[in-house]
Amino acid sequence: MEIERCNKTRLAILIGIALTTPCSWGQEADSETKTDTKDVELIIVTGSYIKGTPLDAALPVEVYNQADLEKQGSPSALEFAKSLTISGPTTGESYYFGGPALTGSVNYNLRGLGSDKTLILLNGRRMNLNTSNIPSIALSHTEVLKDGAAVIYGADATGGVVNFITRKEFVGFEANAQYKLIDSSDGDYSIGLLGGFGEDKVNFMWSAEYEHRSRLSTLDRDFSKASLDSTKEGYNPAPWSTLTNLAGWTARGPLPSVPDATANGEWGAPVGFASDFTPESCAAVGGRYDNAYTCAYNYIQFYRLVENQDIFRGYAQLNAEVTDSIDFHFDASYGQVTVPQVMGSPAQPVIRGPALSPTLLDQFYIPISNPYAAEFAANNGLSSAAGFTPLTYRLLAHGGNDFISGGDGYGVADDIQNKVWRVSAVLNGELGDWAGRAKDIGFDMALTFNQAISSSTHADTIGYRLQEALYGFGGPNCSAVDLDPSRFGTQNPSAAGQNGCMWWNPFSSSFAKNPMQNLSNPNYISGSENNEELTRWLFDQRAIETVSNSLTFDLVFNGGSGIELPGGEIKWATGLQYRNFSSREKVDSPFMDGSTPCAWPDGYTSANGEGSPNLEANPVSTTDPDFRGCTPDGPGPYVLFAPDPADAAEREQYSLFAEFQLPVTDTVDFQAAVRNEEFSGGLGATVYKFAGKWRATDSLIFRGSYGTNYQTPPVGVIPGAVSVGARTYTVAANNWLAAQFITDENLKPETATSWNVGAIWQSRGFSEDHDFQLIVDYFDIETKDQIGEVADPNQVASLVFNGEGGTITTCDANEQPLLNRVTFSNGCTVGMSAIGAFSAISTRYGNGPGQMTNGFDIQAKYEMPFDTGILKLDLTATKVTELKTGSTELDGVVVSTGDDRLGTLNFATFAQAAPEWRANLGINYQLDYQNFRLGINYVSAVTDERPDIQYGENGENWVTVNFTYLVEVNDELSISATAANILDRDPPPAQEEFGYDPWMANPLGRTFEVSAKYTF
């Protein structure tokens, strides 16, 4: 009795801990059993709360043992994610394009459906999509469920599940270190420590890891550097911009006394034109001479293929036996990704500014009183000019930016900091004698807490500050009286450039050279440079911090029904789940937080002419008599990006589920499950799944499944909200311009159906001491009402500018309703080119057409004795047979009749390449304490579906060959050496900024890596 009371007390205490610990997320199957690492590949727990079975389970699961990964050279988390043949384009590379905030954050994208549709688990419990806190050194194995799993785990598992499982009873100490030699880089390196103690009823394990990636410049690889030579036939034009600081300037007459919202009405009538460059001076700094007002520049030289990146990880785990039938598990993990520089262009392109006309043309005015304007006028014989406006402009380009890079480089650097916390407490086992007749019922109760803190900057020019500097009133210490409130900005010629006020020089005389290529600027005039203090004042870092919290409580019961079928007892599992997700943003900048909705802030007044009352710049319609250049969407003070006011959101979720295992006969087994999930806000879904397997012979098994899945709109998506990003537009010479996304009012959950059929063959092979296994699965997934951008802005622009050479064929909105989606620079004219003609495209964010994908997964393994060792051949491959999207309609216009995306680059979906084949072949030979492995990785070529592509149109197969040698020096020490990409293959060419698709391939070339592991 005393022992029983003691056990009950311990149980009550641990239940209290589980219910009060600030932690929880996800679900852990009760089928986990204590097992040595060597046995772990036989335990399949992902996808069911009922005790799992080996690889012949009804659900398709791939298992990756850490010991086997060591034989491949211990790939990094990013390398592992990219190597999965069922994976689509993957983020995490340390580069700008694809979203700099994603740098260092490895997201899994199973089936290419999107990382938001792949559920990530650690020890069966939900965790953040950012997997930077996965304790790689502490892992036992990783299970990848290649099937939808919303019924078992809830929303977000349409594409599948990745479950990272840690070691259970590690005792001792382990240390490992790796160094990767990369040409033109300082190399990548890592170190990890693992400790554990307790061999009886309590085991504690901890780990600490550090990884570093070193910088790699675009100029250090021929495939990216090749785009710099625009005279070469078939060069890559993607990283060229026609919006530069070598511009064409319109000379203006006297300022109108009554300004209006046109260039001539605000700045005066044109009296001449002058280029700030010649074909020769443009070429001298590496530019491309397009016409008298455009010296295009290649911005990719300022970017980097890989940035310096540091990742820190910490992990602690406690496993305790509470009673003979009840176990307690606790784990805590932390990950931090620091990328102090993600280099971009020297300045963002100007698509709007402080002018009254809301376009990208003639946005700035340089009065003749500006000493640099006076000099420019004299040099070009424009003595009648009262001032100048650039047709298009970018603050800094060819000459780089010496001051905003964070101390290194010549672009504007983003600073990325990502931190991920996770704590989970689990109590599981059997109810025991105190439950009476229910004593054999198993239970699993968990509380998990995840927190992700993402901090980033993404600097942009403050347009009105630039205009003030052009007037001679730039700098943080400038103060002068405005003598003419009829115009925006400070009007006081005698005070300009005095008492802490500075002039900005916008002309080519301001920079000495192109610093990246060390090309001298023949137009440079010593002493005409813009200084650091003024340059820094013109930028706002646009810093934002996002904190996301998720709390999950799980309670699951399972057991036998007492009902016997010919194949055994019917088993069941049932449970509930509660999830709470909250997100909040912190924005400190008054320019970023929405308090400055217009190009000019409060206090910079303007009248409608002399004698009229002063007016503030407020968001009003362009037809309003008080319109002063600020459109109703409140575009803000930046020249490219829009403000992002801090917001907060919260969502709760409740769900109930039930699962049954039906062993119909000794050879036929079925599983059925159903789940109802309700979300705050009136969203919800009921999903179900049915799976089965049939052991036809001792060697052959057939299996299959069918189920439904769902995805809810992201938390924080507000109906009617408007967000602005930047996109590159094919018809606009690949220039980066604005893209505006307006959220639909009637968003609803995305749904999906998926089914899978497969066969498993396992036999002795050609001899009794051989082992052969072949698994072939066919998958089919179809999503409906897919949540995202309904029509791609690039597609909209191409439909509007659909004439020869990217010209417009109609200005009649009745004939082409998409005209209303275009923000034109200077109105619509039939025959006008898209280049410089528009500044933004708007589209809808809502429920789109959905997509369908199907194909085959193949796993094969053959193992046999060879000489005195063991030879093992293994193959994993995925053949996608179909990848289509439904038709897309916007404003009554069919934007797409339905895309066949298979085998194409899919640039319209932001570089979501879809190769038909992906395969990994391994040839492994183990000889006593040595292991030799040759790996061949294959990704089939994709064609570029965009018209008029001149670079990498047909792509190339991406084939890399790797070799790893592993030797166990003694019981404590093992050393491995890996040569990756032995043939030094460049990534397949693609008309993208870097010259290749960084979501699929990598730019490193041939690398050599050594690693060591010491255990005692």
Side-chain angles (χ1 to χ4, degrees):
M1 290 294 294
E2 187 64 29
I3 294 175
E4 183 178 346
R5 281 198 302 270
C6 180
N7 287 340
K8 287 183 179 180
T9 301
R10 291 161 65 186
L11 175 61
I13 291 172
L14 286 174
I15 289 176
I17 293 174
L19 290 175
T20 58
T21 303
C23 53
S24 183
W25 253 71
Q27 303 146 35
E28 183 175 20
D30 72 318
S31 60
E32 288 194 32
T33 58
K34 292 185 174 66
T35 177
D36 294 334
T37 302
K38 62 184 179 182
D39 298 324
V40 83
E41 71 272 12
L42 299 178
I43 306 300
I44 306 301
V45 301
T46 305
S48 175
Y49 281 107
I50 297 173
K51 183 165 290 189
T53 55
L55 279 175
D56 64 355
L59 300 179
V61 179
E62 291 181 7
V63 181
Y64 295 88
N65 191 302
Q66 287 300 101
D68 289 336
L69 291 178
E70 288 180 7
K71 296 175 182 177
Q72 301 176 30
S74 298
S76 68
L78 179 60
E79 291 169 335
F80 174 73
K82 280 192 166 184
S83 72
L84 295 175
T85 63
I86 63 171
S87 183
T90 304
T91 65
E93 286 286 1
S94 186
Y95 67 99
Y96 185 94
F97 300 102
L102 299 175
T103 296
S105 302
V106 181
N107 287 179
Y108 287 79
N109 179 12
L110 301 186
R111 303 298 185 200
L113 298 176
S115 60
D116 61 329
K117 297 174 183 61
T118 298
L119 184 63
I120 306 298
L121 307 176
L122 176 61
N123 290 325
R125 311 292 167 185
R126 280 178 175 254
M127 65 176 300
N128 196 277
L129 287 177
N130 182 342
T131 60
S132 58
N133 62 327
I134 293 292
S136 59
I137 192 174
L139 293 182
S140 164
H141 63 291
T142 301
E143 298 174 358
V144 181
L145 173 61
K146 304 178 292 184
D147 198 11
V151 178
I152 300 301
Y153 298 110
D156 312 326
T158 298
V161 179
V162 180
N163 189 6
F164 298 93
I165 299 173
T166 57
R167 309 187 200 192
K168 297 305 177 191
E169 296 181 341
F170 178 79
V171 176
F173 179 80
E174 180 177 303
N176 64 32
Q178 291 178 301
Y179 177 78
K180 180 181 292 184
L181 179 67
I182 303 170
D183 184 36
S184 304
S185 165
D186 291 338
D188 297 351
Y189 46 87
S190 66
I191 186 170
L193 303 174
L194 176 71
F197 59 87
E199 297 183 74
D200 191 11
K201 295 185 177 182
V202 177
N203 178 264
F204 178 77
M205 182 176 70
W206 63 270
S207 67
E209 297 170 272
Y210 167 70
E211 290 184 13
H212 175 80
R213 295 198 72 182
S214 294
R215 178 179 302 152
L216 180 63
S217 169
T218 54
L219 300 183
D220 290 328
R221 291 295 182 266
D222 290 340
F223 56 82
S224 55
K225 186 170 64 176
S227 68
L228 296 176
D229 187 0
S230 62
T231 64
K232 183 179 179 181
E233 184 178 357
Y235 78 102
N236 177 17
W240 285 84
S241 176
T242 61
L243 305 178
T244 81
N245 62 334
L246 292 188
W249 295 85
T250 301
R252 301 285 180 177
L255 293 172
S257 59
V258 181
D260 63 39
T262 65
N264 292 354
E266 184 172 15
W267 308 125
V271 296
F273 178 85
S275 294
D276 194 20
F277 56 88
T278 64
E280 293 75 22
S281 66
C282 175
V285 292
R288 184 187 70 198
Y289 183 88
D290 288 357
N291 48 52
Y293 53 84
T294 304
C295 175
Y297 95 110
N298 186 307
Y299 52 78
I300 203 63
Q301 59 192 306
F302 296 99
Y303 293 71
R304 293 172 182 145
L305 294 166
V306 180
E307 296 282 8
N308 283 326
Q309 172 184 311
D310 294 293
I311 300 179
F312 303 88
R313 299 190 191 97
Y315 181 74
Q317 172 182 291
L318 174 68
N319 287 318
E321 183 180 311
V322 182
T323 70
D324 290 341
S325 60
I326 297 176
D327 293 330
F328 175 69
H329 170 88
F330 174 85
D331 66 56
S333 60
Y334 172 74
Q336 177 177 320
V337 180
T338 300
V339 193
Q341 283 186 316
V342 180
M343 197 64 69
S345 283
Q348 302 293 353
V350 174
I351 67 161
R352 58 177 171 263
L356 295 181
S357 177
T359 71
L360 61 75
L361 305 180
D362 300 296
Q363 284 296 302
F364 296 97
Y365 179 74
I366 298 86
I368 200 66
S369 57
N370 183 314
Y372 305 108
E375 182 180 55
F376 183 75
N379 291 339
N380 288 278
L382 294 169
S383 58
S384 61
F388 294 89
T389 59
L391 188 66
T392 60
Y393 189 63
R394 186 191 296 250
L395 179 67
L396 298 165
H398 293 277
N401 186 335
D402 294 341
F403 310 123
I404 316 295
S405 63
D408 189 9
Y410 298 97
V412 174
D414 292 346
D415 182 357
I416 309 298
Q417 304 283 336
N418 286 317
K419 301 176 182 178
V420 184
W421 294 88
R422 182 184 182 276
V423 187
S424 183
V426 184
L427 197 65
N428 60 22
E430 295 179 352
L431 294 179
D433 292 338
W434 66 272
R437 296 177 62 183
K439 66 178 182 179
D440 294 328
I441 291 178
F443 73 94
D444 184 279
M445 181 172 60
L447 194 64
T448 306
F449 177 76
N450 283 273
Q451 182 180 76
I453 305 173
S454 176
S455 303
S456 63
T457 64
H458 202 32
D460 198 358
T461 307
I462 304 170
Y464 84 88
R465 284 189 173 181
L466 174 57
Q467 183 60 72
E468 286 284 77
L470 293 170
Y471 284 154
F473 300 101
N477 301 314
C478 179
S479 178
V481 177
D482 182 11
L483 301 181
D484 183 4
S486 67
R487 298 185 182 281
F488 283 118
T490 305
Q491 309 294 322
N492 190 339
S494 64
Q498 306 295 319
N499 302 319
C501 298
M502 292 178 277
W503 294 99
W504 179 262
N505 179 5
F507 299 105
S508 61
S509 59
S510 64
F511 65 95
K513 63 180 180 179
N514 174 334
M516 297 306 299
Q517 300 182 62
N518 198 28
L519 301 173
S520 297
N521 175 19
N523 292 348
Y524 168 64
I525 298 175
S526 180
S528 298
E529 307 89 351
N530 294 300
N531 68 36
E532 179 176 356
E533 185 181 34
L534 178 58
T535 303
R536 287 185 175 276
W537 179 75
L538 294 176
F539 285 86
D540 181 67
Q541 288 297 97
R542 298 182 68 250
I544 186 169
E545 179 185 84
T546 303
V547 179
S548 300
N549 298 317
S550 63
L551 179 69
T552 303
F553 173 72
D554 294 293
L555 179 60
V556 177
F557 296 97
N558 53 60
S561 66
I563 301 174
E564 292 288 336
L565 296 178
E569 184 183 16
I570 295 177
K571 296 181 180 180
W572 57 270
T574 186
L576 58 87
Q577 182 184 81
Y578 168 79
R579 294 207 309 269
N580 179 283
F581 184 90
S582 63
S583 176
R584 62 172 176 82
E585 293 179 336
K586 179 182 178 182
V587 179
D588 293 327
S589 168
F591 306 116
M592 180 75 158
D593 67 7
S595 60
T596 309
C598 301
W600 294 92
D602 291 343
Y604 289 80
T605 59
S606 175
N608 279 330
E610 192 172 347
S612 299
N614 290 341
L615 300 173
E616 291 291 347
N618 294 310
V620 296
S621 168
T622 56
T623 60
D624 192 295
D626 292 338
F627 176 70
R628 310 305 291 154
C630 186
T631 51
D633 59 339
Y638 302 115
V639 300
L640 176 62
F641 295 112
D644 187 357
D647 54 35
E650 185 174 4
R651 174 181 288 161
E652 291 185 315
Q653 166 268 337
Y654 305 86
S655 64
L656 298 171
F657 90 98
E659 180 186 8
F660 299 92
Q661 184 178 31
L662 308 170
V664 179
T665 69
D666 290 340
T667 60
V668 177
D669 183 77
F670 291 105
Q671 287 179 312
V674 62
R675 186 185 195 97
N676 175 260
E677 192 149 16
E678 300 293 332
F679 292 82
S680 54
L683 300 175
T686 298
V687 290
Y688 57 89
K689 188 161 191 172
F690 187 75
K693 68 173 183 178
W694 170 40
R695 182 177 291 276
T697 69
D698 289 343
S699 299
L700 180 62
I701 296 173
F702 294 100
R703 65 185 180 187
S705 67
Y706 178 85
T708 57
N709 297 276
Y710 64 102
Q711 187 86 17
T712 57
V715 174
V717 171
I718 302 172
V722 178
S723 63
V724 177
R727 289 291 178 89
T728 177
Y729 291 90
T730 306
V731 296
N734 299 299
N735 278 314
W736 285 82
L737 301 170
Q740 186 182 66
F741 303 93
I742 304 171
T743 303
D744 285 350
E745 297 284 349
N746 56 345
L747 268 178
K748 57 184 178 181
E750 172 184 331
T751 61
T753 58
S754 62
W755 58 278
N756 178 90
V757 293
I760 302 171
W761 175 271
Q762 189 156 2
S763 67
R764 290 297 182 184
F766 297 108
S767 177
E768 281 298 314
D769 55 355
H770 292 194
D771 185 15
F772 173 60
Q773 183 183 73
L774 174 65
I775 304 174
V776 179
D777 288 294
Y778 176 82
F779 64 90
D780 187 289
I781 304 173
E782 183 174 2
T783 66
K784 295 182 179 180
D785 300 317
Q786 184 169 341
I787 300 168
E789 57 185 52
V790 174
D792 181 75
N794 187 56
Q795 290 179 314
V796 174
S798 296
L799 285 172
V800 172
F801 294 89
N802 60 359
E804 185 176 354
T807 56
I808 203 160
T809 57
T810 180
C811 292
D812 184 352
N814 293 319
E815 184 177 342
Q816 175 53 277
L818 293 178
L819 287 165
N820 296 319
R821 296 277 177 180
V822 182
T823 302
F824 287 100
S825 300
N826 202 19
C828 179
T829 304
V830 173
M832 69 190 300
S833 169
I835 302 172
F838 70 97
S839 59
I841 300 290
S842 70
T843 186
R844 290 169 43 216
Y845 181 93
N847 293 110
Q851 56 185 321
M852 177 175 62
T853 183
N854 51 59
F856 295 89
D857 292 326
I858 304 167
Q859 293 175 263
K861 179 180 71 174
Y862 198 98
E863 187 174 315
M864 64 181 185
F866 184 79
D867 195 21
T868 58
I870 300 294
L871 178 65
K872 180 179 178 180
L873 308 177
D874 58 81
L875 171 70
T876 304
T878 297
K879 169 67 169 74
V880 181
T881 54
E882 192 173 31
L883 177 61
K884 292 182 177 180
T885 58
S887 61
T888 302
E889 187 175 290
L890 184 66
D891 300 339
V893 178
V894 176
V895 176
S896 170
T897 57
D899 294 331
D900 184 356
R901 296 183 176 180
L902 183 59
T904 64
L905 183 65
N906 294 318
F907 190 83
T909 57
F910 215 54
Q912 296 289 305
E916 294 185 30
W917 275 100
R918 293 194 63 169
N920 299 325
L921 172 65
I923 305 171
N924 194 91
Y925 184 62
Q926 186 165 352
L927 180 62
D928 198 11
Y929 53 84
Q930 300 179 85
N931 194 85
F932 308 83
R933 181 179 176 86
L934 183 70
I936 303 173
N937 307 313
Y938 172 82
V939 180
S940 62
V942 295
T943 59
D944 197 321
E945 75 281 2
R946 293 172 290 171
D948 304 321
I949 292 300
Q950 67 182 55
Y951 182 82
E953 177 182 6
N954 296 316
E956 293 177 1
N957 296 329
W958 174 231
V959 182
T960 55
V961 180
N962 310 319
F963 178 77
T964 299
Y965 171 69
L966 173 66
V967 57
E968 296 180 2
V969 179
N970 52 45
D971 291 342
E972 293 83 24
L973 178 65
S974 63
I975 299 174
S976 69
T978 299
N981 193 2
I982 296 173
L983 303 179
D984 199 20
R985 288 282 306 274
D986 283 342
Q991 191 164 306
E992 299 186 52
E993 287 79 8
F994 286 131
Y996 82 105
D997 180 2
W999 291 38
M1000 294 295 290
N1002 78 67
L1004 302 182
R1006 182 190 297 119
T1007 64
F1008 299 94
E1009 180 175 322
V1010 293
S1011 63
K1013 182 176 75 171
Y1014 186 77
T1015 305
F1016 64 90

